[in-house]
Amino acid sequence: MRGKFFRPENAKKIHPFSHEKNGFRGNFFVFSSKKSKGLTKQKNKGKIVEEDFKKSCQKQDIWVHRIKDNQLSYMSDYHTSENPYDFIAFTNSTLYLIECKCTNLNSLTVARSKEEKNKMIKKHQIDSLWADSRYDNVIGMFFIDFKTSNNTYLLSIDKFMGWYCLEDKKSISEKDIIALNPIVVQKELKRTRYQYDIRLGFEQLNKQNNI
């Protein structure tokens, strides 16, 4: 057979009388593989928030879909190979476009150009939410979870853009967000995970947007 796993340089010869922990006795080739470093690390807090958001939607009979890379690249000129946003949800005859953010800090860094790749809120996410929410009964938003204050907000892209265009800041603080009159998301701790009242948040957001 052919392939890199059968090449001598990828194998280690074991002496017939040698012994290795988790190995074999005898004249064998042993092929070792390294475990992914990420498998042993604690799950990213942002991913946990995303999972809790999705499960909360499902428990409240809200249709929700997690977007994969490139899945919506055809929808607008702003989209890149990266996710335009995290979720699409549908209820109350309204389509919701959601980008989830979670931070242990008091603010979120904001990109002002596509070259600023290390910012928490990226330029292509802002552009995608703004472009795709221009249709009737479509609301783009940020779902923002501050671990320091344990507060969670729904901030519409319209309100965010009002701040983004008027301010010349490199980050948006929780204080800035509160000044924009966001929806405060009600939540309940279930052992170690949160259940968010997404339906109530969406209904309040609809009233803000006269839908």
Side-chain angles (χ1 to χ4, degrees):
M1 296 179 67
R2 305 181 69 179
K4 67 177 182 179
F5 294 109
F6 293 90
R7 294 174 185 169
E9 62 267 26
N10 292 327
K12 182 169 62 175
K13 186 78 173 288
I14 301 300
H15 191 274
F17 300 104
S18 68
H19 175 268
E20 285 192 1
K21 186 178 180 180
N22 299 325
F24 302 90
R25 288 184 181 275
N27 193 9
F28 294 104
F29 284 109
V30 177
F31 303 93
S32 62
S33 62
K34 295 181 180 179
K35 291 183 178 180
S36 174
K37 294 180 180 179
L39 295 177
T40 58
K41 290 185 178 180
Q42 187 178 5
K43 187 176 289 187
N44 181 281
K45 288 183 180 180
K47 294 300 180 184
I48 291 175
V49 170
E50 289 179 9
E51 289 176 3
D52 289 349
F53 173 86
K54 183 176 181 179
K55 289 178 181 178
S56 298
C57 286
Q58 292 170 334
K59 288 180 180 179
Q60 294 161 51
D61 294 323
I62 297 172
W63 179 86
V64 61
H65 177 67
R66 178 68 166 92
I67 298 174
K68 296 180 181 180
D69 289 341
N70 294 324
Q71 192 164 340
L72 293 185
S73 59
Y74 61 87
M75 283 186 61
S76 80
D77 294 336
Y78 294 107
H79 294 166
T80 66
S81 60
E82 300 171 289
N83 282 8
Y85 26 82
D86 292 319
F87 292 98
I88 302 175
F90 181 81
T91 189
N92 305 323
S93 300
T94 307
L95 191 68
Y96 304 93
L97 316 175
I98 307 104
E99 174 62 32
C100 293
K101 297 297 177 185
C102 173
T103 180
N104 290 320
L105 305 175
N106 295 317
S107 62
L108 298 163
T109 55
V110 179
R112 294 284 175 173
S113 68
K114 293 182 179 179
E115 286 69 33
E116 297 178 282
K117 302 293 186 181
N118 61 335
K119 303 298 183 181
M120 299 173 75
I121 297 179
K122 303 184 186 307
K123 188 64 164 62
H124 78 270
Q125 294 168 343
I126 298 169
D127 291 341
S128 297
L129 287 171
W130 181 243
D132 295 344
S133 62
R134 67 184 184 273
Y135 302 99
D136 291 340
N137 291 1
V138 179
I139 303 177
M141 74 193 75
F142 290 102
F143 179 89
I144 305 172
D145 190 77
F146 284 97
K147 294 300 182 185
T148 49
S149 63
N150 198 32
N151 292 327
T152 306
Y153 305 97
L154 288 176
L155 180 65
S156 71
I157 188 63
D158 288 354
K159 289 182 176 292
F160 175 86
M161 289 301 290
W163 171 89
Y164 188 78
C165 295
L166 292 176
E167 300 288 344
D168 190 25
K169 297 181 179 179
K170 295 183 179 180
S171 64
I172 183 168
S173 67
E174 183 174 6
K175 185 177 179 180
D176 292 329
I177 291 171
I178 292 172
L180 295 173
N181 190 29
I183 301 302
V184 179
V185 180
Q186 304 299 314
K187 59 185 180 183
E188 181 181 359
L189 183 62
K190 302 283 189 177
R191 294 186 180 179
T192 60
R193 305 292 287 262
Y194 279 100
Q195 181 173 321
Y196 303 102
D197 195 340
I198 304 299
R199 181 169 290 281
L200 177 61
F202 281 174
E203 289 173 354
Q204 293 173 331
L205 202 61
N206 279 23
K207 290 181 180 178
Q208 274 194 353
N209 288 269
N210 299 318
I211 295 178

